[in-house]
Amino acid sequence: MKRIRYTKYNGDLAGDMDLEDLMQQLSDYLLDSGFQDPMSRFQELQGEHTLDNLREALREALELGDFDLAIRDRLDQMAAEGEIDKLIDQLMQRMEQQDYIRIDNPEDPSQPSSGPGDVGEGEAHARFEVTDKSLDFLGYKTLQDLMGSLGRASAGRHDTSHQATGVETNGSIRPYEFGDTLNLDANATLAAAMISQAEAHRDSDQGPITWPIDVDYKHLHVQQSDYQSSCATVVMLDCSHSMILYGEDRFTPAKRVAMALSHLIRTQYPGDTMNLVLFHDSAEEVPVSQIARVKVGPHYTNTREGLRLARSILNRQRKEMRQIVMITDGKPSALTLPDGRIYKNAFGLDPLVLSETLEEVARCRRAGILINTFMLASDPGLVQFVQRVSAMCRGKAYFTTPQTLGNYLMMDFLNRKMKTVH
C-alpha cells in the first residue's frame, strides 16, 4: 500500500522547485539512446543510471536549466554559498519520495565514509531506476507538445457512424433485440405495454384497464448510444544502428513519439490495447513500460520480421480495428531466412529483402491490418518504399525530422490527398 508522509513546510528551495519541470529538463539524460552527441550537456554521463551520474545531471540542470527569475536568483545564491550539493541531495530525496526514481541500493547512513571527500563503495555502485510515473509524465509532455504543435486538443475515443446500446445515450430508442445491452428505457417500455394492453381490452370489450400492467418481451425498449469501436495497436520501433548514424539522433525522437502514443492510447482509449515490438537484425516484443529504457543495437533493419511478429500479436487480439504504427528510418536491410539465418545487405534497397518485406505487408492487408508509418528520413527511395507500404494497406505515412515532431508531412491514402500539418 502506497503511503504519503507529510512534513512541515520550511520554505527551502528543494521544496519550492517543481519536480515535473526538473524531470522535463532531465529528459535528455533519462531517455539517452546511446547517441554520441558532443553538444549534449549530459554526454559524459553516457546514459548510465548511477547515483553519481544523477547528481551530475542535476548539477548540469540546475546550472544551465531554464528556471524563472526568482528560482534562478536563489540558485545563484546557494552556488555562491557552496550549498548546491546539499540542494541536490534534497532533490534526490524528494524525487524518491514522490516516486519519480527508485534507488536500488541506497546509501546506508550508518556506514562511515571511507575518507574526507571519498564515496563509499556501496554508493559508488548504487543505481537508480526511472519509475513508470516518470515515464508516464515524459510521455504526457511529449504528447502535449506534439498535439500543441498540430493545433489540436486531446482526442477522445474512436467514434463511428453506427449506433449501439450502451451506457452513454444519445436520446434515440428502439425495441430490444437479443444480445443488446439491457439499457432499458422505462418510459418507452411501459408505454408500449400500456398501449398493447389497451388494444387488447378494446378488442375484447372487457371494460377499463386494470393494474398491474403486463410487460412482455416484445414491449422492451432500449436506449441507444453512439457506437465506439476498440483498436489493437502494435508500435514497431526501429532500433537499428542507422537510427543514430549520419550525425543525428533519430532514436530518441522515435522513443518520444512511441511514449506519446502509449500515453494517448492508455488515457484516451481505455478499451484499446498496445504492444511494443523492437526490430533490428531480428525482432522481439518488449513490455510497453520499457519504451524509454531501450537503446539502439544491433546494426541492421529487419522490417519484415518486425511486421511478421506484429501481425502475429494482432491476430490474437479480438478488436474491430487493428493497426501497426511503425517508427523507422525506412530502410529494410535484413531478412530472416526459412532456416533461421539472417541475410543482411546494407547497400541500397536489396530486391530480395524488399520483395519479402512487401509480401509481409500484403499479408497484413489480407488480415485487415493497417500500417501507419512514422518516417524519420527523407531519401527518395525510402519515401517511395513507405508510399508503397501505405498504399497497399490503406494506411498513413507521417514524414518528420528528428528536430521537430510538430511539423510533418501527412499522406492520407484513405482520402487520397496530401496535406502539411503544422
Side-chain angles (χ1 to χ4, degrees):
M1 179 179 178
K2 183 68 176 177
R3 301 192 179 191
I4 300 176
R5 183 173 62 182
Y6 295 92
T7 58
K8 182 179 179 181
Y9 176 72
N10 53 19
D12 60 355
L13 182 56
D16 291 342
M17 294 189 67
D18 186 356
L19 286 187
E20 290 188 349
D21 184 31
L22 189 61
M23 289 296 296
Q24 189 173 6
Q25 301 201 41
L26 292 172
S27 62
D28 289 341
Y29 165 60
L30 300 176
L31 302 179
D32 181 84
S33 303
F35 177 64
Q36 301 297 319
D37 184 6
M39 303 301 294
S40 173
R41 58 185 177 180
F42 303 119
Q43 179 58 42
E44 295 181 357
L45 305 180
Q46 298 180 349
E48 292 293 329
H49 287 181
T50 64
L51 292 185
D52 285 345
N53 283 358
L54 179 58
R55 285 192 173 89
E56 291 303 316
L58 283 169
R59 193 185 309 276
E60 291 285 339
L62 294 175
E63 290 178 358
L64 304 175
D66 183 17
F67 298 98
D68 60 56
L69 187 58
I71 296 292
R72 174 53 59 193
D73 290 341
R74 296 175 67 181
L75 285 173
D76 294 341
Q77 181 181 355
M78 294 191 71
E81 296 173 355
E83 297 184 354
I84 290 295
D85 289 338
K86 178 181 177 181
L87 174 61
I88 291 175
D89 290 337
Q90 292 173 341
L91 289 173
M92 291 175 60
Q93 185 178 9
R94 275 195 66 200
M95 291 167 65
E96 183 182 14
Q97 289 176 348
Q98 298 191 22
D99 200 31
Y100 283 101
I101 62 172
R102 185 179 303 109
I103 298 178
D104 296 334
N105 184 24
E107 179 183 4
D108 186 358
S110 64
Q111 297 296 327
S113 175
S114 58
D118 293 337
V119 177
E121 181 179 355
E123 183 181 358
H125 295 283
R127 299 180 62 83
F128 74 94
E129 181 181 358
V130 182
T131 63
D132 292 341
K133 176 182 177 180
S134 293
L135 301 181
D136 185 64
F137 166 72
L138 294 176
Y140 163 73
K141 293 300 294 183
T142 303
L143 177 63
Q144 187 181 53
D145 294 340
L146 176 60
M147 299 303 288
S149 65
L150 295 178
R152 299 187 179 187
S154 297
R157 288 160 290 183
H158 309 288
D159 291 329
T160 70
S161 58
H162 305 288
Q163 290 186 328
T165 54
V167 176
E168 298 178 2
T169 65
N170 59 12
S172 58
I173 301 167
R174 66 169 174 81
Y176 171 81
E177 296 178 1
F178 179 77
D180 287 343
T181 301
L182 203 59
N183 190 20
L184 287 179
D185 185 282
N187 292 335
T189 300
L190 290 175
M194 293 174 65
I195 292 172
S196 177
Q197 191 166 338
E199 291 177 349
H201 276 72
R202 183 189 60 191
D203 295 340
S204 60
D205 295 329
Q206 295 180 1
I209 300 176
T210 59
W211 294 91
I213 299 175
D214 295 328
V215 179
D216 199 359
Y217 178 88
K218 62 184 179 181
H219 304 141
L220 299 180
H221 283 68
V222 291
Q223 296 178 338
Q224 295 190 99
S225 63
D226 291 329
Y227 178 72
Q228 295 171 327
S229 62
S230 58
C231 180
T233 300
V234 171
V235 174
M236 281 179 53
L237 182 57
D238 185 353
C239 61
S240 63
H241 198 63
S242 62
M243 296 287 281
I244 58 171
L245 289 179
Y246 315 113
E248 62 182 2
D249 182 5
R250 296 173 175 174
F251 192 61
T252 301
K255 287 200 299 185
R256 292 182 185 273
V257 171
M259 291 170 61
L261 289 174
S262 173
H263 185 87
L264 176 66
I265 289 173
R266 186 176 65 257
T267 58
Q268 301 297 327
Y269 303 105
D272 290 5
T273 61
M274 175 174 167
N275 299 81
L276 176 66
V277 169
L278 300 180
F279 63 107
H280 37 82
D281 287 6
S282 184
E284 69 270 352
E285 181 183 4
V286 299
V288 175
S289 60
Q290 301 298 317
I291 291 178
R293 302 184 178 100
V294 297
K295 296 188 176 182
V296 293
H299 291 78
Y300 294 84
T301 308
N302 197 335
T303 307
R304 186 247 191 183
E305 186 66 15
L307 290 171
R308 186 199 64 78
L309 179 57
R311 178 171 57 85
S312 175
I313 294 172
L314 290 174
N315 282 337
R316 300 194 298 265
Q317 300 283 347
R318 294 192 174 183
K319 301 291 184 181
E320 295 157 308
M321 297 169 57
R322 295 180 297 171
Q323 66 172 347
I324 296 173
V325 175
M326 182 167 58
I327 305 175
T328 180
D329 60 357
K331 180 182 177 182
S333 57
L335 177 68
T336 302
L337 300 176
D339 59 4
R341 292 180 300 147
I342 299 177
Y343 170 76
K344 306 173 183 176
N345 184 0
F347 300 98
L349 288 171
D350 185 280
L352 175 61
V353 176
L354 182 62
S355 63
E356 290 294 329
T357 302
L358 293 178
E359 176 59 31
E360 186 60 41
V361 172
R363 294 190 183 98
C364 292
R365 178 194 62 197
R366 291 192 292 270
I369 298 173
L370 294 179
I371 300 178
N372 297 327
T373 307
F374 281 85
M375 170 61 69
L376 300 176
S378 57
D379 298 343
L382 303 182
V383 172
Q384 293 179 4
F385 167 73
V386 174
Q387 286 177 336
R388 292 184 64 181
V389 171
S390 301
M392 289 176 66
C393 282
R394 297 178 59 84
K396 298 178 182 178
Y398 302 87
F399 291 88
T400 182
T401 64
Q403 290 73 30
T404 173
L405 295 178
N407 300 325
Y408 53 88
L409 180 68
M410 179 189 294
M411 293 171 49
D412 192 343
F413 279 90
L414 292 175
N415 296 326
R416 300 299 181 186
K417 64 182 180 180
M418 300 179 64
K419 62 181 179 180
T420 301
V421 182
H422 299 286

